[in-house]
Amino acid sequence: MVRKKGSLILCGAFLFVAWNALLLLYLWGRPPIGRLGEGGGAEPGGKEEWGLGRGGGAHLAGEVIRLAEEVELQLDTQKKLLKQIESLRAVWARQRDLGKRETDHKKGVQPEVLHQPPDTALPKTSVTVREQSEAKRTQKPPPTAPSDSRSQQNQVPGTKDPSTSTSPAPVVIPVLVIACDRVTVKRSLDRLIQYRPSPQLYPIIVSQDCGHAETARVVASYGDQVTHISQPDLSDIKVRPEHRKFQGYYKIARHYRWALNQVFNTFSQSTVVIVEDDLEVAPDFFEYFRALYPILRADPSLWCVSAWNDNGRDASVDPTQAQLLYRTDFFPGLGWMLLKEMWDELEPKWPSAFWDDWMRQPEQRKERSCIRPEISRTMTFGRKGVSLGQFFDQYLRYIKLNTEFVPFTKHDLSFLLRENYDEKFIRDVYEAPLVKMEDLQRSGAVRGPGPYRVQYSTRDSFKVFARNLGVMDDLKSGVPRTGYRGVVSFVYKGRRMFLAPPPGWNHYDISWS
């Protein structure tokens, strides 16, 4: 086949050269053009040489035009020939490459593929309030992962896509820092920049509310290491008289909505990790979210990935198991990943206040879960805020921040998919020996490393056991903090414990809140 195509190309090239040679000979041997009179043609040296007699100028112009038309016709013909030759050459080249690949494949030779990271950085600018509207008109959105790579993004660690031999371009995972009037945002930004492996793959966007000048100066001091945007609406929000003391919660909800719209709609990103200005991150913070992004994409029963463990105090976690990950029905927040598709669902009904508790309602959760770690990848240092330090002194200040780098992207995390997770989780919980609270508290009554199970059956029994075991006892829409299928997993006096409902549990009771 290749030889046949090569012969056709050579034949076409020969015809092209021959045609042009004949055309050149024809034009060269053509007699001088003159006025046609009685004596026939105009001869050189005669009175009518080259048509210079009466009326010769007009005839000469006509002949020139006619000759030009002939030349144009011949050029069109040559152009068609060239197109045919080019098409044959392209076919021949494809056949030649195919033959070469087949030969290389037989020899076991693999073609070398070079990958270059895409230029996916966000605009490195500081956007002020006045510049916001102008930025929306002029700013070119940063490139994102190709839309046809969704199936590749859905691929979970530990599997390979047989339909392609090359890796898809890595997705950009921006970090959105929600800021207001804390100059200590510097502590958050310092750690994010210190541990960030790539500014292109992890652009940092600081969205500032409140119009606090000193905080703005702190953010601006980072230059092009971050993108600084400012919430344009700083007005008070009209609320019911009994909610005046909650004005801050209303402004936070408004700010979240605006900032997330900026990330997804103005900057055209496909996902985001949200942190607040009082969070410090762990060394493997970015590794954690990079590894769990495909799990979040692949499992529709998940709607977020969180870096936070509500019961992550030193005494309640296993410090030797930094790689442990869990599913939870409780929305943790405090450093969490959200997909654009989920924001498109939530944004039209976004609440005017108390957005985090709103997220925990059954109407929003829809029986979906989040991923959370054994040891938190974020730690809050902001005691002062709109919550007035709620839970901070009792719980949050003691949350353990992970210090060991876990290479999650090299682990097979497919066990977190619901079809792989639930059966083993239920077996582990309900095969654990059932013990009484009194035995746990009595020295020497329970031996061995566990795990053990403590069973609750009512709201009150859950709260009593939780307090005695040192875990958070509040419930939101009937869901306990870190709970999955009603089960709270933690460490008590060095033993793994499950605070669990009776076997056969099937739903949360919203009246328990």
Side-chain angles (χ1 to χ4, degrees):
M1 184 65 182
V2 175
R3 292 179 179 177
K4 184 176 180 181
K5 296 298 182 181
S7 300
L8 288 174
I9 292 172
L10 292 175
C11 182
F14 175 76
L15 289 175
F16 177 77
V17 174
W19 179 269
N20 280 276
L22 289 173
L23 180 62
L24 182 62
L25 289 174
Y26 167 75
L27 294 175
W28 184 265
R30 188 183 180 95
I33 300 172
R35 181 176 62 86
L36 298 177
E38 295 177 351
E43 294 295 328
K47 181 179 176 181
E48 305 210 8
E49 184 176 6
W50 302 107
L52 295 177
R54 185 175 57 184
H59 285 284
L60 177 61
E63 289 297 321
V64 170
I65 292 172
R66 186 176 62 81
L67 181 59
E69 290 174 348
E70 290 181 3
V71 171
E72 184 177 1
L73 181 62
Q74 298 303 325
L75 288 175
D76 287 340
T77 303
Q78 293 177 36
K79 187 184 296 182
K80 292 177 182 178
L81 285 172
L82 284 172
K83 287 182 178 179
Q84 293 176 3
I85 292 172
E86 181 64 24
S87 64
L88 289 173
R89 188 191 69 79
V91 171
W92 180 78
R94 286 197 297 269
Q95 294 293 335
R96 182 188 61 186
D97 291 342
L98 179 60
K100 184 177 184 299
R101 286 196 297 269
E102 290 175 351
T103 302
D104 290 343
H105 180 71
K106 291 177 181 179
K107 294 179 179 180
V109 177
Q110 296 296 328
E112 182 180 1
V113 181
L114 298 179
H115 297 282
Q116 293 182 350
D119 183 11
T120 52
L122 286 166
K124 303 294 186 178
T125 57
S126 177
V127 184
T128 64
V129 174
R130 293 182 179 179
E131 292 169 336
Q132 278 298 318
S133 59
E134 186 66 24
K136 290 180 183 178
R137 293 194 298 270
T138 61
Q139 192 173 54
K140 183 178 180 181
T144 58
S147 58
D148 61 352
S149 65
R150 180 178 176 84
S151 61
Q152 295 169 334
Q153 292 171 353
N154 286 348
Q155 191 174 334
V156 300
T159 64
K160 292 185 178 180
D161 186 353
S163 64
T164 177
S165 60
T166 59
S167 300
V171 68
V172 175
I173 304 179
V175 178
L176 174 64
V177 181
I178 299 293
C180 181
D181 58 357
R182 289 190 181 107
V183 294
T184 51
V185 67
K186 176 177 172 56
R187 179 172 170 181
S188 296
L189 293 177
D190 284 347
R191 289 294 176 265
L192 286 168
I193 292 171
Q194 176 184 354
Y195 298 136
R196 177 172 62 172
S198 166
Q200 289 74 36
L201 294 179
Y202 306 96
I204 298 172
I205 308 167
V206 182
S207 180
Q208 187 185 353
D209 199 1
C210 309
H212 190 248
E214 185 59 31
T215 300
R217 281 193 290 270
V218 170
V219 177
S221 69
Y222 288 88
D224 62 1
Q225 295 183 92
V226 305
T227 297
H228 184 198
I229 59 177
S230 298
Q231 146 76 312
D233 186 0
L234 304 181
S235 62
D236 286 338
I237 301 173
K238 292 182 180 180
V239 299
R240 302 194 305 270
E242 62 270 24
H243 274 207
R244 286 175 184 168
K245 62 181 178 180
F246 300 132
Q247 179 77 211
Y249 289 100
Y250 283 84
K251 290 185 177 182
I252 288 174
R254 178 177 66 184
H255 184 197
Y256 263 83
R257 186 176 200 164
W258 180 85
L260 287 169
N261 276 329
Q262 292 297 301
V263 172
F264 289 125
N265 300 328
T266 301
F267 296 139
S268 302
Q269 296 298 314
S270 63
T271 187
V272 67
V273 175
I274 305 150
V275 299
E276 296 188 0
D277 56 0
D278 61 346
L279 288 183
E280 183 174 332
V281 303
D284 57 355
F285 174 86
F286 294 97
E287 173 80 359
Y288 175 80
F289 284 107
R290 170 66 59 185
L292 287 168
Y293 172 81
I295 298 293
L296 181 61
R297 276 278 178 206
D299 191 346
S301 71
L302 293 171
W303 70 325
C304 86
V305 174
S306 175
W308 180 258
N309 176 2
D310 277 293
N311 289 315
R313 298 193 298 170
D314 274 316
S316 299
V317 298
D318 186 344
T320 68
Q321 299 294 318
Q323 80 284 356
L324 285 183
L325 304 175
Y326 303 86
R327 292 173 68 101
T328 176
D329 296 324
F330 189 90
F331 171 71
L334 293 175
W336 56 288
M337 176 185 282
L338 176 72
L339 298 178
K340 184 183 187 302
E341 292 83 354
M342 187 55 60
W343 177 243
D344 290 341
E345 175 189 323
L346 298 174
E347 194 273 342
K349 55 180 181 176
W350 190 251
S352 57
F354 310 108
W355 68 269
D356 47 353
D357 284 342
W358 175 85
M359 290 275 288
R360 292 160 183 153
Q361 295 173 357
E363 295 80 8
Q364 280 65 250
R365 191 173 67 83
K366 296 180 179 179
E367 298 186 356
R368 292 174 293 206
S369 305
C370 295
I371 303 296
R372 60 99 176 168
E374 168 79 1
I375 304 177
S376 291
R377 265 60 186 184
T378 56
M379 177 188 71
T380 178
F381 54 83
R383 183 181 185 279
K384 184 179 179 181
V386 293
S387 64
L388 302 177
Q390 184 183 20
F391 297 128
F392 185 86
D393 291 330
Q394 187 177 2
Y395 290 103
L396 302 184
R397 67 185 299 177
Y398 302 107
I399 293 293
K400 178 178 175 60
L401 180 66
N402 181 60
T403 57
E404 174 189 347
F405 186 93
V406 178
F408 284 113
T409 55
K410 298 180 180 179
H411 293 185
D412 181 1
L413 303 181
S414 59
F415 74 93
L416 290 165
L417 300 174
R418 184 164 64 179
E419 61 266 25
N420 301 331
Y421 189 88
D422 281 10
E423 183 178 355
K424 182 179 184 303
F425 178 79
I426 294 170
R427 184 174 64 250
D428 290 346
V429 170
Y430 290 100
E431 287 182 357
L434 183 63
V435 297
K436 295 181 179 180
M437 190 71 232
E438 303 81 40
D439 293 336
L440 284 175
Q441 293 178 326
R442 191 167 63 249
S443 177
V446 175
R447 299 181 182 275
Y452 293 102
R453 175 167 52 100
V454 173
Q455 185 169 293
Y456 69 90
S457 56
T458 65
R459 174 183 179 274
D460 290 340
S461 63
F462 170 80
K463 294 181 79 68
V464 169
F465 292 156
R467 290 192 195 110
N468 280 278
L469 293 169
V471 296
M472 298 185 75
D473 67 341
D474 62 321
L475 303 104
K476 303 289 186 180
S477 297
V479 184
R481 291 181 185 267
T482 75
Y484 185 68
R485 299 183 61 87
V487 180
V488 176
S489 174
F490 57 97
V491 170
Y492 177 73
K493 294 185 176 179
R495 300 183 180 94
R496 175 62 57 183
M497 300 296 305
F498 299 119
L499 181 55
W505 176 97
N506 56 20
H507 72 282
Y508 292 104
D509 188 343
I510 193 171
S511 68
W512 284 22
S513 297

